[in-house]
Amino acid sequence: QVQLVESGGGLVQAGGSLRLSCAASGRTYSLYGMGWFRQAPGKEREFVACIIWSTGTTYYADSVKGRFTISKNNAKNTLYLQMNSMKPEDTAVYYCGTGISTLARDYDYWGQGTQVTVSS
């Protein structure tokens, strides 16, 4: 099993920045990729970005492309999401998961989530 713990959420004004972290532990040697999703109240979990662990290849949702950057630290088994130029519509609970897909059902493990709120 893999355990994931997110941190770094909070309240930020529109146009501001936040950096989320996701620390992985357990069977991290089996990691192929990791991703970030978000879920706003009353909505389905939505793909944000993902990264292939071995190559660093990244994929982004169109809604965040150019504003968000996904990265990783292999030595620390930690995933990051740098969020810049944030908008009120970025408000959601952000989750990290293990997998490499734009579909939430393809991910095996999830963290508990961290709340991000962007005020206008």
Side-chain angles (χ1 to χ4, degrees):
Q1 288 193 344
V2 176
Q3 293 79 42
L4 304 173
V5 179
E6 300 103 333
S7 61
L11 174 65
V12 64
Q13 290 187 335
S17 299
L18 277 178
R19 188 175 86 150
L20 305 183
S21 299
C22 173
S25 60
R27 294 187 175 185
T28 56
Y29 59 83
S30 64
L31 285 177
Y32 176 67
M34 292 185 69
W36 289 99
F37 282 70
R38 64 188 181 187
Q39 190 165 18
K43 295 189 176 182
E44 293 187 352
R45 194 165 293 191
E46 173 191 36
F47 171 74
V48 175
C50 62
I51 187 167
I52 297 177
W53 211 248
S54 58
T55 65
T57 305
T58 58
Y59 303 89
Y60 294 94
D62 288 342
S63 59
V64 306
K65 202 171 293 183
R67 300 189 298 121
F68 291 9
T69 302
I70 189 171
S71 63
K72 60 183 177 63
N73 183 320
N74 289 42
K76 294 183 178 180
N77 290 320
T78 301
L79 179 73
Y80 303 99
L81 185 68
Q82 178 67 44
M83 304 184 291
N84 299 328
S85 302
M86 297 186 71
K87 305 175 181 180
E89 50 264 43
D90 294 323
T91 295
V93 177
Y94 283 69
Y95 298 89
C96 63
T98 59
I100 190 72
S101 170
T102 60
L103 302 176
R105 65 172 182 257
D106 294 334
Y107 285 68
D108 298 316
Y109 300 100
W110 294 97
Q112 81 288 353
T114 185
Q115 176 70 48
V116 171
T117 303
V118 184
S119 63
S120 57

